[in-house]
Amino acid sequence: MTRYIRHAAAFCALLLLALLVNATRIQLVQARSYDENPANRRHTIARYGQPRGDILVGGKPVTGSKDSGQQFRYERTYKNGPLYAPVTGFASQVYGTNLLEGAEDDILAGTDPLLSPLPLWNDLTRARNPGGHVVTTLDPAAQRAAYEGLGDRRGAVAALEPSTGRILALVSTPSYNPEELSGTDSAVAQAWTRLNQAADKPMLNRAVRQTYPPGSTFKVVTAAAALDAGVVEDVDEPTKSPDPYRLPGSSVRLTNEVEGCADASLRYAFAWSCNTVFAKLGVNVGVAGMRAAAAGFGFNERQLRVPFRVSPSTFDTRVDQAQLALSSIGQYNTRATPLQMAMVAGAVANNGSVRTPHLVERTTTDDGDTVSATGQRTLRQAMNPATAVQLRGLMTDVVERGTGKNAAIPGATVGGKSGTAQHGVHNSGTPYAWFISWAKADDAVEPGVAVAVVVEDAEADRGDISGGGDAAPIARDVMGAVLGR
């Protein structure tokens, strides 16, 4: 009898050991696969089982959370949702997250280990920290000025602080209310379908995800390349540029919208945007020189994040001489985001140095303790400091006596460059109106803001559309909001 009891006890011990081994295998070896299994809803239920941390603008939250009483309990809310949608993005129980809501999801959801003083204990107990907060660099006055300036038109505005790279405004219109995508009911699915099928693409972040031909605003890059390469040594000397200019290896003749461009000086050509002068300068600099100059400003950079991804702006490097001429005036395959063109203006304002743009000042715990802070870094040196000084003078001339008079601000020095970019089959589309600029208050040591504005559907007859007329007033209002003018 005793032998049977011993055998039964040994068999039970073996079963217990097998159970412990299997439990260990499931909890340690296979835990990740179970956690990441789409059928496992525990993680999602826990994720929405507490309020989400907030995104702050000017020290005040522009997001919130409300208790829905449903299984996915807390739904995201937004204050002035359309105004800040190109920054916040959305946080949806059904469609996930994007933009800041996505890039800073671990902080906002409370899953980042840095939020806990004892992260190992949280791993063992499955405890969840309260969601942290994301403090942005945005200037609320500049953001609103950009949004109201664009109004009902399609377009975008990007503004930054040249000396630091802090993004002060990021606006895209038309916009949408991200709160429509919060929750799990049928209205969320209907909103998703409607927004994605809308012809005017309200969910497209035109400021960082859409690239446009930059038109004459790219002449800032071409001028910098010509000055750095010594192709132009004196901005007031004739450039030996014919009008019209026959594109090399082609029968196409490039013309201008204004008089006086034949053999014009760089100063005159820049102020009045002479296509012939800059096309010829680009050819004289050469493909390698133009490629290097464009890269110095950030073109062809594919890793830029702010912290969410920015679509790369491009300067085609496999071009013939005629294509190079057109690329040098911001046409052909040259493409740029509004943020990229704000970086171009910022480089001129910041002695040729391009600072890495960033949208997050710091992240904090729920109690306000700093978790991480964004350092200020130089992305590239776009041009010699002496060249930047010359370009600041040229851009100032544009506003004081050229095509950018609508950007002038009392009590401040403003430099700018207007642009009208052709696009579409045989240039049949409504031209894009561009304006890029920087501004320095008279009582300041250095420029405080650089801005880029693009308007897709300018309110004018096709022949009358211009960056100076349609985009410059928006840039002026944004710069004035930052400077307090």
Side-chain angles (χ1 to χ4, degrees):
M1 187 69 177
T2 304
R3 182 165 60 89
Y4 295 131
I5 293 175
R6 286 200 305 269
H7 288 173
F11 183 66
C12 289
L14 184 62
L15 290 177
L16 180 61
L17 179 62
L19 181 63
L20 292 174
V21 170
N22 188 55
T24 301
R25 179 180 64 86
I26 291 173
Q27 294 187 27
L28 296 182
V29 178
Q30 294 185 319
R32 181 178 292 274
S33 64
Y34 283 119
D35 268 347
E36 295 175 354
N37 192 312
N40 182 6
R41 294 167 61 87
R42 293 183 60 192
H43 176 72
T44 307
I45 292 171
R47 172 189 179 86
Y48 295 105
Q50 67 177 23
R52 192 169 172 84
D54 285 320
I55 296 172
L56 278 63
V57 174
K60 298 179 180 179
V62 297
T63 57
S65 298
K66 68 178 181 180
D67 191 344
S68 67
Q70 304 299 315
Q71 186 179 49
F72 295 158
R73 184 173 172 182
Y74 285 94
E75 297 179 359
R76 195 58 150 164
T77 62
Y78 296 88
K79 301 172 185 176
N80 298 313
L83 174 63
Y84 292 109
V87 175
T88 63
F90 59 79
S92 169
Q93 286 94 328
V94 179
Y95 300 107
T97 59
N98 76 339
L99 302 183
L100 271 190
E101 293 277 27
E104 299 292 349
D105 184 60
D106 287 346
I107 289 288
L108 296 168
T111 58
D112 193 311
L114 295 176
L115 291 171
S116 174
L118 298 171
L120 184 59
W121 176 254
N122 280 11
D123 288 342
L124 293 174
T125 63
R126 298 281 179 166
R128 183 179 289 264
N129 298 301
H133 303 312
V134 175
V135 181
T136 71
T137 59
L138 291 181
D139 182 320
Q143 184 79 2
R144 184 165 292 279
Y147 186 73
E148 293 178 352
L150 285 169
D152 295 332
R153 293 173 291 182
R154 292 193 306 272
V157 177
L160 50 81
E161 188 174 59
S163 62
T164 63
R166 297 170 67 248
I167 295 175
L168 304 176
L170 205 64
V171 168
S172 175
T173 56
S175 189
Y176 72 104
N177 188 351
E179 195 166 328
E180 292 186 84
L181 303 178
S182 298
T184 57
D185 58 21
S186 60
V188 172
Q190 292 169 4
W192 178 263
T193 301
R194 172 174 50 81
L195 291 170
N196 278 282
Q197 292 180 351
D200 54 6
K201 300 180 179 179
M203 294 183 70
L204 172 62
N205 190 338
R206 290 169 164 86
V208 296
R209 295 281 172 83
Q210 178 74 350
T211 60
Y212 304 86
S216 292
T217 59
F218 190 79
K219 291 171 183 174
V220 174
V221 178
T222 304
L227 289 166
D228 271 356
V231 171
V232 174
E233 296 181 347
D234 187 337
V235 297
D236 293 307
E237 288 294 318
T239 54
K240 299 180 181 179
S241 304
D243 182 12
Y245 172 57
R246 186 172 64 83
L247 300 182
S250 167
S251 60
V252 176
R253 293 179 179 272
L254 190 64
T255 58
N256 300 289
E257 298 292 332
V258 297
E259 300 294 331
C261 290
D263 297 328
S265 67
L266 182 59
R267 186 183 301 279
Y268 183 92
F270 195 92
W272 295 102
S273 212
C274 295
N275 287 330
T276 52
V277 173
F278 283 92
K280 185 172 184 295
L281 286 178
V283 171
N284 292 345
V285 171
V287 174
M290 287 300 300
R291 177 181 64 234
F297 283 96
F299 283 80
N300 299 328
E301 170 59 61
R302 300 190 177 276
Q303 305 300 323
L304 185 62
R305 306 184 73 87
V306 294
F308 47 80
R309 183 183 63 84
V310 177
S311 294
S313 299
T314 56
F315 182 82
D316 197 336
T317 58
R318 296 191 296 179
V319 291
D320 59 28
Q321 295 290 287
Q323 293 164 344
L324 176 61
L326 293 176
S327 298
S328 300
I329 59 172
Q331 297 290 167
Y332 187 56
N333 284 341
T334 305
R335 308 280 297 188
T337 62
L339 179 61
Q340 173 61 68
M341 296 314 296
M343 292 163 61
V344 169
V348 176
N350 193 41
N351 297 315
S353 176
V354 181
R355 302 293 273 179
T356 302
H358 59 279
L359 191 53
V360 175
E361 193 81 68
R362 65 184 185 279
T363 59
T364 73
T365 64
D366 181 53
D367 295 329
D369 296 329
T370 297
V371 174
S372 65
T374 303
Q376 299 170 12
R377 297 185 296 111
T378 297
L379 183 65
R380 285 184 176 83
Q381 185 69 30
M383 69 193 98
N384 292 324
T387 297
V389 171
Q390 291 177 294
L391 276 174
R392 282 200 296 275
L394 296 180
M395 293 182 75
T396 302
D397 287 345
V398 169
V399 175
E400 292 182 351
R401 59 182 64 91
T403 59
K405 293 179 181 178
N406 286 334
I409 300 173
T413 300
V414 179
K417 184 71 188 78
S418 60
T420 305
Q422 309 291 337
H423 68 100
V425 179
H426 303 302
N427 293 332
S428 60
T430 301
Y432 299 137
W434 276 95
F435 197 78
I436 66 173
S437 56
W438 52 266
K440 182 182 83 67
D442 289 345
D443 56 355
V445 176
E446 58 188 13
V449 58
V451 64
V453 178
V454 63
V455 180
E456 292 185 20
D457 50 349
E459 296 173 340
D461 292 335
R462 190 177 191 279
D464 296 330
I465 294 169
S466 71
D470 296 282
I474 302 172
R476 176 197 62 212
D477 291 346
V478 173
M479 295 185 295
V482 174
L483 301 182
R485 293 294 190 271

mmCIF file of all heavy atoms in Angstrom, residues 55 62-63 78-90 98-101 138 143 147 170-172 174-179 202-205 208 308 359:
data_model
loop_
_atom_site.group_PDB
_atom_site.id
_atom_site.type_symbol
_atom_site.label_atom_id
_atom_site.label_comp_id
_atom_site.label_asym_id
_atom_site.label_seq_id
_atom_site.Cartn_x
_atom_site.Cartn_y
_atom_site.Cartn_z
ATOM 1 N N ILE A 55 -1.127 67.187 -23.904
ATOM 2 C CA ILE A 55 -0.207 67.960 -24.741
ATOM 3 C C ILE A 55 -0.440 69.425 -24.402
ATOM 4 O O ILE A 55 -1.579 69.896 -24.423
ATOM 5 C CB ILE A 55 -0.464 67.693 -26.230
ATOM 6 C CG1 ILE A 55 -0.170 66.211 -26.545
ATOM 7 C CG2 ILE A 55 0.391 68.606 -27.099
ATOM 8 C CD1 ILE A 55 -0.582 65.779 -27.951
ATOM 9 N N VAL A 62 -4.110 71.341 -24.402
ATOM 10 C CA VAL A 62 -5.025 71.431 -25.537
ATOM 11 C C VAL A 62 -5.687 70.077 -25.784
ATOM 12 O O VAL A 62 -6.372 69.891 -26.785
ATOM 13 C CB VAL A 62 -4.299 71.914 -26.812
ATOM 14 C CG1 VAL A 62 -3.763 73.320 -26.612
ATOM 15 C CG2 VAL A 62 -3.183 70.956 -27.215
ATOM 16 N N THR A 63 -5.468 69.152 -24.851
ATOM 17 C CA THR A 63 -6.090 67.835 -24.912
ATOM 18 C C THR A 63 -6.709 67.527 -23.558
ATOM 19 O O THR A 63 -6.459 68.212 -22.563
ATOM 20 C CB THR A 63 -5.064 66.748 -25.246
ATOM 21 O OG1 THR A 63 -4.018 66.789 -24.257
ATOM 22 C CG2 THR A 63 -4.452 66.952 -26.616
ATOM 23 N N TYR A 78 -10.281 67.185 -27.297
ATOM 24 C CA TYR A 78 -9.374 68.217 -27.813
ATOM 25 C C TYR A 78 -10.008 69.596 -27.685
ATOM 26 O O TYR A 78 -11.192 69.773 -27.973
ATOM 27 C CB TYR A 78 -9.031 67.947 -29.288
ATOM 28 C CG TYR A 78 -8.265 66.669 -29.496
ATOM 29 C CD1 TYR A 78 -8.936 65.462 -29.674
ATOM 30 C CD2 TYR A 78 -6.874 66.654 -29.482
ATOM 31 C CE1 TYR A 78 -8.244 64.276 -29.844
ATOM 32 C CE2 TYR A 78 -6.173 65.476 -29.653
ATOM 33 C CZ TYR A 78 -6.859 64.289 -29.827
ATOM 34 O OH TYR A 78 -6.167 63.111 -29.989
ATOM 35 N N LYS A 79 -9.192 70.547 -27.233
ATOM 36 C CA LYS A 79 -9.620 71.945 -27.190
ATOM 37 C C LYS A 79 -9.078 72.639 -28.446
ATOM 38 O O LYS A 79 -7.889 72.543 -28.731
ATOM 39 C CB LYS A 79 -9.082 72.625 -25.933
ATOM 40 C CG LYS A 79 -9.538 71.956 -24.635
ATOM 41 C CD LYS A 79 -8.835 72.546 -23.422
ATOM 42 C CE LYS A 79 -9.227 71.783 -22.154
ATOM 43 N NZ LYS A 79 -8.483 72.275 -20.958
ATOM 44 N N ASN A 80 -9.944 73.324 -29.158
ATOM 45 C CA ASN A 80 -9.533 73.928 -30.436
ATOM 46 C C ASN A 80 -8.897 72.871 -31.342
ATOM 47 O O ASN A 80 -7.815 73.074 -31.896
ATOM 48 C CB ASN A 80 -8.547 75.078 -30.203
ATOM 49 C CG ASN A 80 -9.154 76.213 -29.401
ATOM 50 O OD1 ASN A 80 -10.268 76.649 -29.682
ATOM 51 N ND2 ASN A 80 -8.438 76.681 -28.395
ATOM 52 N N GLY A 81 -9.609 71.750 -31.491
ATOM 53 C CA GLY A 81 -9.076 70.612 -32.230
ATOM 54 C C GLY A 81 -8.541 70.940 -33.612
ATOM 55 O O GLY A 81 -7.403 70.585 -33.935
ATOM 56 N N PRO A 82 -9.304 71.633 -34.483
ATOM 57 C CA PRO A 82 -8.795 71.933 -35.823
ATOM 58 C C PRO A 82 -7.560 72.830 -35.823
ATOM 59 O O PRO A 82 -6.706 72.709 -36.696
ATOM 60 C CB PRO A 82 -9.987 72.642 -36.493
ATOM 61 C CG PRO A 82 -11.188 72.141 -35.766
ATOM 62 C CD PRO A 82 -10.736 71.987 -34.344
ATOM 63 N N LEU A 83 -7.457 73.714 -34.836
ATOM 64 C CA LEU A 83 -6.310 74.617 -34.751
ATOM 65 C C LEU A 83 -5.017 73.841 -34.511
ATOM 66 O O LEU A 83 -3.975 74.145 -35.112
ATOM 67 C CB LEU A 83 -6.534 75.636 -33.628
ATOM 68 C CG LEU A 83 -5.383 76.574 -33.286
ATOM 69 C CD1 LEU A 83 -5.041 77.469 -34.473
ATOM 70 C CD2 LEU A 83 -5.729 77.425 -32.061
ATOM 71 N N TYR A 84 -5.072 72.834 -33.647
ATOM 72 C CA TYR A 84 -3.855 72.124 -33.254
ATOM 73 C C TYR A 84 -3.732 70.725 -33.860
ATOM 74 O O TYR A 84 -2.757 70.019 -33.577
ATOM 75 C CB TYR A 84 -3.784 72.026 -31.728
ATOM 76 C CG TYR A 84 -3.574 73.370 -31.069
ATOM 77 C CD1 TYR A 84 -4.591 73.986 -30.339
ATOM 78 C CD2 TYR A 84 -2.365 74.038 -31.207
ATOM 79 C CE1 TYR A 84 -4.395 75.226 -29.741
ATOM 80 C CE2 TYR A 84 -2.161 75.280 -30.614
ATOM 81 C CZ TYR A 84 -3.179 75.869 -29.886
ATOM 82 O OH TYR A 84 -2.986 77.097 -29.299
ATOM 83 N N ALA A 85 -4.680 70.326 -34.706
ATOM 84 C CA ALA A 85 -4.641 68.977 -35.286
ATOM 85 C C ALA A 85 -3.333 68.651 -36.009
ATOM 86 O O ALA A 85 -2.835 67.522 -35.917
ATOM 87 C CB ALA A 85 -5.830 68.779 -36.226
ATOM 88 N N PRO A 86 -2.700 69.616 -36.751
ATOM 89 C CA PRO A 86 -1.427 69.282 -37.413
ATOM 90 C C PRO A 86 -0.278 69.038 -36.440
ATOM 91 O O PRO A 86 0.803 68.624 -36.857
ATOM 92 C CB PRO A 86 -1.146 70.528 -38.274
ATOM 93 C CG PRO A 86 -2.466 71.214 -38.418
ATOM 94 C CD PRO A 86 -3.183 70.961 -37.135
ATOM 95 N N VAL A 87 -0.515 69.310 -35.175
ATOM 96 C CA VAL A 87 0.499 69.088 -34.143
ATOM 97 C C VAL A 87 0.143 67.866 -33.308
ATOM 98 O O VAL A 87 0.938 66.937 -33.156
ATOM 99 C CB VAL A 87 0.641 70.326 -33.232
ATOM 100 C CG1 VAL A 87 1.617 70.044 -32.090
ATOM 101 C CG2 VAL A 87 1.097 71.526 -34.041
ATOM 102 N N THR A 88 -1.063 67.859 -32.753
ATOM 103 C CA THR A 88 -1.466 66.774 -31.857
ATOM 104 C C THR A 88 -1.687 65.472 -32.613
ATOM 105 O O THR A 88 -1.342 64.395 -32.130
ATOM 106 C CB THR A 88 -2.754 67.130 -31.106
ATOM 107 O OG1 THR A 88 -3.833 67.293 -32.043
ATOM 108 C CG2 THR A 88 -2.586 68.407 -30.305
ATOM 109 N N GLY A 89 -2.289 65.546 -33.821
ATOM 110 C CA GLY A 89 -2.766 64.338 -34.447
ATOM 111 C C GLY A 89 -3.973 63.823 -33.684
ATOM 112 O O GLY A 89 -4.652 64.584 -32.992
ATOM 113 N N PHE A 90 -4.239 62.527 -33.777
ATOM 114 C CA PHE A 90 -5.389 61.954 -33.075
ATOM 115 C C PHE A 90 -4.958 60.749 -32.244
ATOM 116 O O PHE A 90 -3.922 60.133 -32.498
ATOM 117 C CB PHE A 90 -6.488 61.536 -34.064
ATOM 118 C CG PHE A 90 -6.057 60.513 -35.091
ATOM 119 C CD1 PHE A 90 -5.974 59.158 -34.765
ATOM 120 C CD2 PHE A 90 -5.728 60.897 -36.382
ATOM 121 C CE1 PHE A 90 -5.570 58.219 -35.703
ATOM 122 C CE2 PHE A 90 -5.326 59.959 -37.338
ATOM 123 C CZ PHE A 90 -5.249 58.614 -36.984
ATOM 124 N N ASN A 98 -1.390 59.183 -34.228
ATOM 125 C CA ASN A 98 -0.426 59.736 -35.177
ATOM 126 C C ASN A 98 0.082 61.080 -34.675
ATOM 127 O O ASN A 98 -0.374 61.592 -33.651
ATOM 128 C CB ASN A 98 -1.016 59.837 -36.582
ATOM 129 C CG ASN A 98 -1.984 61.001 -36.744
ATOM 130 O OD1 ASN A 98 -2.538 61.525 -35.775
ATOM 131 N ND2 ASN A 98 -2.218 61.411 -37.974
ATOM 132 N N LEU A 99 1.071 61.628 -35.385
ATOM 133 C CA LEU A 99 1.736 62.891 -35.033
ATOM 134 C C LEU A 99 2.202 62.858 -33.571
ATOM 135 O O LEU A 99 2.764 61.858 -33.144
ATOM 136 C CB LEU A 99 0.826 64.068 -35.363
ATOM 137 C CG LEU A 99 0.406 64.145 -36.853
ATOM 138 C CD1 LEU A 99 -0.431 65.384 -37.114
ATOM 139 C CD2 LEU A 99 1.598 64.102 -37.784
ATOM 140 N N LEU A 100 1.988 63.916 -32.780
ATOM 141 C CA LEU A 100 2.513 63.895 -31.411
ATOM 142 C C LEU A 100 1.862 62.809 -30.574
ATOM 143 O O LEU A 100 2.503 62.213 -29.704
ATOM 144 C CB LEU A 100 2.303 65.258 -30.733
ATOM 145 C CG LEU A 100 3.404 66.302 -30.891
ATOM 146 C CD1 LEU A 100 3.160 67.481 -29.967
ATOM 147 C CD2 LEU A 100 4.792 65.723 -30.635
ATOM 148 N N GLU A 101 0.578 62.563 -30.793
ATOM 149 C CA GLU A 101 -0.103 61.502 -30.051
ATOM 150 C C GLU A 101 0.579 60.157 -30.294
ATOM 151 O O GLU A 101 0.607 59.300 -29.410
ATOM 152 C CB GLU A 101 -1.573 61.423 -30.458
ATOM 153 C CG GLU A 101 -2.416 62.621 -30.053
ATOM 154 C CD GLU A 101 -2.916 62.545 -28.619
ATOM 155 O OE1 GLU A 101 -2.256 61.888 -27.790
ATOM 156 O OE2 GLU A 101 -3.963 63.154 -28.337
ATOM 157 N N LEU A 138 5.262 75.448 -29.216
ATOM 158 C CA LEU A 138 4.378 76.326 -29.974
ATOM 159 C C LEU A 138 4.108 77.642 -29.257
ATOM 160 O O LEU A 138 3.985 77.695 -28.030
ATOM 161 C CB LEU A 138 3.035 75.638 -30.237
ATOM 162 C CG LEU A 138 3.019 74.456 -31.207
ATOM 163 C CD1 LEU A 138 1.606 73.926 -31.345
ATOM 164 C CD2 LEU A 138 3.567 74.858 -32.559
ATOM 165 N N GLN A 143 0.340 80.474 -33.679
ATOM 166 C CA GLN A 143 -0.469 79.391 -34.234
ATOM 167 C C GLN A 143 -1.830 79.917 -34.680
ATOM 168 O O GLN A 143 -2.302 79.611 -35.783
ATOM 169 C CB GLN A 143 -0.646 78.296 -33.179
ATOM 170 C CG GLN A 143 -1.389 77.061 -33.651
ATOM 171 C CD GLN A 143 -0.541 76.106 -34.469
ATOM 172 O OE1 GLN A 143 0.644 76.332 -34.681
ATOM 173 N NE2 GLN A 143 -1.146 75.023 -34.923
ATOM 174 N N TYR A 147 -3.440 80.204 -38.529
ATOM 175 C CA TYR A 147 -4.697 79.518 -38.835
ATOM 176 C C TYR A 147 -5.738 80.499 -39.366
ATOM 177 O O TYR A 147 -6.415 80.235 -40.371
ATOM 178 C CB TYR A 147 -5.204 78.816 -37.574
ATOM 179 C CG TYR A 147 -6.423 77.959 -37.773
ATOM 180 C CD1 TYR A 147 -6.349 76.731 -38.429
ATOM 181 C CD2 TYR A 147 -7.660 78.366 -37.291
ATOM 182 C CE1 TYR A 147 -7.471 75.943 -38.603
ATOM 183 C CE2 TYR A 147 -8.790 77.584 -37.464
ATOM 184 C CZ TYR A 147 -8.695 76.365 -38.110
ATOM 185 O OH TYR A 147 -9.807 75.593 -38.283
ATOM 186 N N LEU A 170 2.681 75.587 -36.557
ATOM 187 C CA LEU A 170 2.596 74.529 -37.553
ATOM 188 C C LEU A 170 1.116 74.352 -37.880
ATOM 189 O O LEU A 170 0.364 73.758 -37.108
ATOM 190 C CB LEU A 170 3.194 73.227 -37.004
ATOM 191 C CG LEU A 170 3.740 72.217 -38.007
ATOM 192 C CD1 LEU A 170 4.931 72.796 -38.762
ATOM 193 C CD2 LEU A 170 4.136 70.938 -37.307
ATOM 194 N N VAL A 171 0.704 74.900 -39.007
ATOM 195 C CA VAL A 171 -0.717 74.952 -39.362
ATOM 196 C C VAL A 171 -0.921 74.370 -40.755
ATOM 197 O O VAL A 171 -0.105 74.586 -41.659
ATOM 198 C CB VAL A 171 -1.235 76.406 -39.307
ATOM 199 C CG1 VAL A 171 -2.612 76.525 -39.940
ATOM 200 C CG2 VAL A 171 -1.267 76.901 -37.864
ATOM 201 N N SER A 172 -2.010 73.644 -40.921
ATOM 202 C CA SER A 172 -2.396 73.092 -42.208
ATOM 203 C C SER A 172 -3.901 73.262 -42.362
ATOM 204 O O SER A 172 -4.666 72.952 -41.442
ATOM 205 C CB SER A 172 -2.022 71.606 -42.285
ATOM 206 O OG SER A 172 -2.489 71.013 -43.480
ATOM 207 N N PRO A 174 -7.352 72.833 -45.252
ATOM 208 C CA PRO A 174 -8.366 72.713 -44.202
ATOM 209 C C PRO A 174 -7.937 71.710 -43.145
ATOM 210 O O PRO A 174 -7.094 70.840 -43.398
ATOM 211 C CB PRO A 174 -9.590 72.232 -44.962
ATOM 212 C CG PRO A 174 -9.030 71.474 -46.123
ATOM 213 C CD PRO A 174 -7.802 72.229 -46.526
ATOM 214 N N SER A 175 -8.538 71.828 -41.968
ATOM 215 C CA SER A 175 -8.184 70.951 -40.863
ATOM 216 C C SER A 175 -9.414 70.130 -40.457
ATOM 217 O O SER A 175 -10.419 70.103 -41.165
ATOM 218 C CB SER A 175 -7.655 71.779 -39.691
ATOM 219 O OG SER A 175 -7.105 70.954 -38.688
ATOM 220 N N TYR A 176 -9.318 69.459 -39.341
ATOM 221 C CA TYR A 176 -10.414 68.621 -38.853
ATOM 222 C C TYR A 176 -10.336 68.563 -37.334
ATOM 223 O O TYR A 176 -9.339 68.994 -36.733
ATOM 224 C CB TYR A 176 -10.304 67.213 -39.445
ATOM 225 C CG TYR A 176 -9.164 66.403 -38.859
ATOM 226 C CD1 TYR A 176 -9.384 65.401 -37.929
ATOM 227 C CD2 TYR A 176 -7.838 66.662 -39.228
ATOM 228 C CE1 TYR A 176 -8.338 64.671 -37.392
ATOM 229 C CE2 TYR A 176 -6.786 65.948 -38.701
ATOM 230 C CZ TYR A 176 -7.035 64.950 -37.781
ATOM 231 O OH TYR A 176 -5.997 64.242 -37.235
ATOM 232 N N ASN A 177 -11.374 68.041 -36.708
ATOM 233 C CA ASN A 177 -11.388 67.896 -35.254
ATOM 234 C C ASN A 177 -11.024 66.458 -34.895
ATOM 235 O O ASN A 177 -11.802 65.529 -35.155
ATOM 236 C CB ASN A 177 -12.768 68.226 -34.690
ATOM 237 C CG ASN A 177 -12.765 68.286 -33.167
ATOM 238 O OD1 ASN A 177 -11.776 67.929 -32.527
ATOM 239 N ND2 ASN A 177 -13.855 68.728 -32.580
ATOM 240 N N PRO A 178 -9.855 66.231 -34.295
ATOM 241 C CA PRO A 178 -9.442 64.860 -33.975
ATOM 242 C C PRO A 178 -10.392 64.146 -33.020
ATOM 243 O O PRO A 178 -10.396 62.912 -32.957
ATOM 244 C CB PRO A 178 -8.056 65.052 -33.326
ATOM 245 C CG PRO A 178 -7.605 66.405 -33.740
ATOM 246 C CD PRO A 178 -8.842 67.224 -33.890
ATOM 247 N N GLU A 179 -11.203 64.911 -32.289
ATOM 248 C CA GLU A 179 -12.122 64.293 -31.332
ATOM 249 C C GLU A 179 -13.170 63.428 -32.033
ATOM 250 O O GLU A 179 -13.746 62.525 -31.426
ATOM 251 C CB GLU A 179 -12.803 65.379 -30.505
ATOM 252 C CG GLU A 179 -13.485 64.851 -29.253
ATOM 253 C CD GLU A 179 -13.855 65.944 -28.277
ATOM 254 O OE1 GLU A 179 -13.129 66.962 -28.210
ATOM 255 O OE2 GLU A 179 -14.861 65.779 -27.566
ATOM 256 N N PRO A 202 -8.466 66.998 -45.468
ATOM 257 C CA PRO A 202 -8.251 67.701 -44.198
ATOM 258 C C PRO A 202 -7.281 67.006 -43.254
ATOM 259 O O PRO A 202 -6.699 67.651 -42.378
ATOM 260 C CB PRO A 202 -9.660 67.764 -43.592
ATOM 261 C CG PRO A 202 -10.401 66.633 -44.230
ATOM 262 C CD PRO A 202 -9.858 66.530 -45.613
ATOM 263 N N MET A 203 -7.080 65.687 -43.427
ATOM 264 C CA MET A 203 -6.160 64.976 -42.545
ATOM 265 C C MET A 203 -4.716 65.001 -43.039
ATOM 266 O O MET A 203 -3.826 64.501 -42.355
ATOM 267 C CB MET A 203 -6.618 63.527 -42.364
ATOM 268 C CG MET A 203 -7.948 63.396 -41.635
ATOM 269 S SD MET A 203 -8.442 61.694 -41.360
ATOM 270 C CE MET A 203 -7.242 61.183 -40.129
ATOM 271 N N LEU A 204 -4.486 65.582 -44.211
ATOM 272 C CA LEU A 204 -3.117 65.722 -44.718
ATOM 273 C C LEU A 204 -2.430 66.879 -44.006
ATOM 274 O O LEU A 204 -2.913 68.009 -44.028
ATOM 275 C CB LEU A 204 -3.150 65.978 -46.217
ATOM 276 C CG LEU A 204 -1.804 66.329 -46.877
ATOM 277 C CD1 LEU A 204 -0.813 65.189 -46.744
ATOM 278 C CD2 LEU A 204 -2.002 66.706 -48.342
ATOM 279 N N ASN A 205 -1.303 66.594 -43.379
ATOM 280 C CA ASN A 205 -0.537 67.647 -42.706
ATOM 281 C C ASN A 205 0.352 68.318 -43.749
ATOM 282 O O ASN A 205 1.485 67.902 -43.994
ATOM 283 C CB ASN A 205 0.296 67.059 -41.575
ATOM 284 C CG ASN A 205 0.909 68.135 -40.698
ATOM 285 O OD1 ASN A 205 1.065 69.283 -41.116
ATOM 286 N ND2 ASN A 205 1.243 67.777 -39.467
ATOM 287 N N VAL A 208 4.207 69.532 -43.010
ATOM 288 C CA VAL A 208 5.377 68.646 -42.895
ATOM 289 C C VAL A 208 5.288 67.409 -43.776
ATOM 290 O O VAL A 208 6.296 66.722 -43.971
ATOM 291 C CB VAL A 208 5.606 68.195 -41.432
ATOM 292 C CG1 VAL A 208 5.930 69.372 -40.544
ATOM 293 C CG2 VAL A 208 4.395 67.432 -40.904
ATOM 294 N N PHE A 308 7.735 63.587 -34.875
ATOM 295 C CA PHE A 308 7.148 62.724 -35.898
ATOM 296 C C PHE A 308 7.837 62.984 -37.238
ATOM 297 O O PHE A 308 8.517 63.993 -37.428
ATOM 298 C CB PHE A 308 5.631 62.907 -35.990
ATOM 299 C CG PHE A 308 5.163 64.338 -36.021
ATOM 300 C CD1 PHE A 308 5.209 65.086 -37.190
ATOM 301 C CD2 PHE A 308 4.660 64.938 -34.878
ATOM 302 C CE1 PHE A 308 4.768 66.401 -37.218
ATOM 303 C CE2 PHE A 308 4.208 66.255 -34.894
ATOM 304 C CZ PHE A 308 4.268 66.984 -36.069
ATOM 305 N N LEU A 359 9.602 70.175 -31.959
ATOM 306 C CA LEU A 359 8.277 70.589 -31.533
ATOM 307 C C LEU A 359 8.032 70.339 -30.052
ATOM 308 O O LEU A 359 7.100 70.893 -29.472
ATOM 309 C CB LEU A 359 7.236 69.833 -32.366
ATOM 310 C CG LEU A 359 5.783 70.231 -32.329
ATOM 311 C CD1 LEU A 359 5.598 71.719 -32.615
ATOM 312 C CD2 LEU A 359 5.003 69.407 -33.334
#
